[in-house]
Amino acid sequence: MKIAILSRNKKLYSTRRLIEAAEANGHQVEVLDVLRCYMSITSHRPSIHYKGQELSGFDAVIPRIGASVTFYGTAVLRQFEMMEVSPLNESVAISRSRDKLRSLQLLARKGIGLPVTGFAHSPDDVQDMMAMIGGAPAVIKLLEGTQGIGVVLAETHKAAESVIEAFMGLKANILIQEFIKEAGGSDIRCLVVGGKVVAAMKRQGKEGEFRSNLHRGGTAEVIRLTPEERSTAVRAAKIMGLNVCGVDLLRSNHGPVVMEVNSSPGLEGIEKSTGKDVAGMIIKFIETNTNPSSTRTRGKG
Ligand code: ADP
């Protein structure tokens, strides 16, 4: 098969591993910088050009679209879909997962366990907002934050009020969440491929840190999931419509709660801590779910 990887940097661990795994399985791979793709939006013959050449002959596309380029990246992916190149994750599912509020609303509607969460733009009654989520301590998050930046633990009601007011001053959308203290500064990343959890790791924040992000000095180790955690991760992936994703869970007193579903999960932490060939499993998934003969000439006629 001929596989495109939409990635801005060939040297990133995840991109390198996907190239390696695809080549090891006899596929041809090309890494394309999504921002350098340009498109002709015509009804009879959608096309994508790259560095002066029209792209053709691709069977499958692996989107690794960074959060900062979601808008343009999903538009390019949509164009691949119009050309009937099979996407690992569909553009609509990626857009959905990038909207934290929309994701939580979807998951809630289907009965997935979530931390009690409030959402606000400029609440005129902070007291009531706090009461809604059960009072302090509370976690307050900037909706646009990633890698733990803009995630604050307010231990007291007073602190929560100040943080909410400060964020409101920035005119930012915020999420206010019940603090899952019993998670003990750790969370669980479940890597789902094709409706199965293929690897899972526990991330632990460094001493005195409630955020477990590896970028913030957290450490990762392999973990055994409970059947409930496994089924929660699989259901969350299905609800979001993602074939491949990272589902982040917290172990709460009321069972597993989902914090986030990530449509471009990094492979480095999970492969290194579990020793599993996740990139290889992703390529195998593409092989079984793409029909090369039917796509090879698509988009041409
Ligand atoms: P980001 O998407 O920026 O990584 P998260 O919402 O995943 O932000 O939060 C970062 C980390 O903070 C999580 O991995 C988790 O360890 C911790 N955390 C987030 N929300 C809560 C919560 N409600 N209760 C306890 N810990 C939390």
Side-chain angles (χ1 to χ4, degrees):
M1 282 198 290
K2 187 171 166 187
I3 302 173
I5 302 180
L6 298 182
S7 167
R8 302 221 49 217
N9 186 351
K10 273 185 210 222
K11 300 201 176 89
L12 294 175
Y13 178 94
S14 304
T15 310
R16 275 196 288 115
R17 287 285 300 122
L18 288 164
I19 299 171
E20 255 171 48
E23 288 178 345
N25 285 284
H27 304 296
Q28 190 190 337
V29 202
E30 255 181 67
V31 177
L32 307 171
D33 176 351
V34 80
L35 293 187
R36 300 192 63 180
C37 292
Y38 47 104
M39 309 171 270
S40 163
I41 320 277
T42 40
S43 54
H44 62 290
R45 194 177 171 281
S47 66
I48 303 176
H49 285 229
Y50 190 72
K51 298 185 179 170
Q53 301 279 324
E54 180 170 349
L55 298 178
S56 70
F58 285 101
D59 301 299
V61 52
I62 302 179
R64 303 275 323 166
I65 297 167
S68 59
V69 295
T70 301
F71 178 75
Y72 193 71
T74 50
V76 172
L77 183 59
R78 211 153 40 236
Q79 188 81 355
F80 273 104
E81 291 164 5
M82 285 162 63
M83 292 159 58
E84 301 193 27
V85 178
S86 175
L88 179 63
N89 280 328
E90 284 182 23
S91 56
V92 58
I94 296 173
S95 306
R96 197 185 279 145
S97 74
R98 289 289 158 84
D99 182 336
K100 274 192 196 179
L101 175 64
R102 184 172 172 199
S103 304
L104 292 178
Q105 285 173 321
L106 272 169
L107 296 170
R109 196 172 71 192
K110 299 285 183 180
I112 294 284
L114 302 170
V116 177
T117 303
F119 176 77
H121 182 70
S122 29
D124 48 16
D125 193 340
V126 175
Q127 304 291 337
D128 184 42
M129 182 84 200
M130 284 297 294
M132 218 165 77
I133 60 126
V139 176
I140 300 156
K141 303 183 186 184
L142 276 178
L143 212 58
E144 289 77 19
T146 57
Q147 299 177 352
I149 297 163
V151 179
V152 181
L153 170 61
E155 312 242 13
T156 63
H157 191 92
K158 206 78 216 126
E161 254 180 57
S162 314
V163 175
I164 294 170
E165 277 163 19
F167 282 172
M168 270 166 53
L170 298 172
K171 305 222 178 310
N173 290 314
I174 53 174
L175 233 146
I176 305 168
Q177 224 162 42
E178 151 196 29
F179 175 48
I180 311 291
K181 187 163 190 283
E182 58 273 25
S186 70
D187 75 351
I188 298 172
R189 160 60 62 96
C190 306
L191 215 296
V192 179
V193 178
K196 288 197 193 76
V197 178
V198 298
M201 65 174 168
K202 178 176 162 182
R203 296 178 295 201
Q204 179 73 51
K206 58 180 185 215
E207 188 70 28
E209 172 62 78
F210 83 101
R211 294 168 298 180
S212 58
N213 303 69
L214 301 182
H215 289 99
R216 313 212 61 78
T219 51
E221 62 182 66
V222 63
I223 192 178
R224 252 194 104 71
L225 297 179
T226 65
E228 194 189 4
E229 286 162 352
R230 200 169 277 278
S231 74
T232 300
V234 168
R235 283 180 58 218
K238 184 157 188 278
I239 293 164
M240 300 302 294
L242 292 164
N243 296 317
V244 170
C245 61
V247 180
D248 295 341
L249 302 174
L250 292 175
R251 279 187 169 160
S252 85
N253 290 338
H254 45 99
V257 289
V258 172
M259 254 186 329
E260 196 169 24
V261 182
N262 191 320
S263 58
S264 279
L267 301 183
E268 186 166 13
I270 195 96
E271 286 200 333
K272 289 190 173 163
S273 60
T274 64
K276 298 222 169 123
D277 175 15
V278 178
M281 296 187 227
I282 292 175
I283 298 299
K284 288 278 173 231
F285 174 82
I286 292 174
E287 285 173 5
T288 36
N289 290 278
T290 308
N291 181 355
S293 58
S294 68
T295 55
R296 191 162 299 284
T297 54
R298 282 182 192 178
K300 288 186 178 163

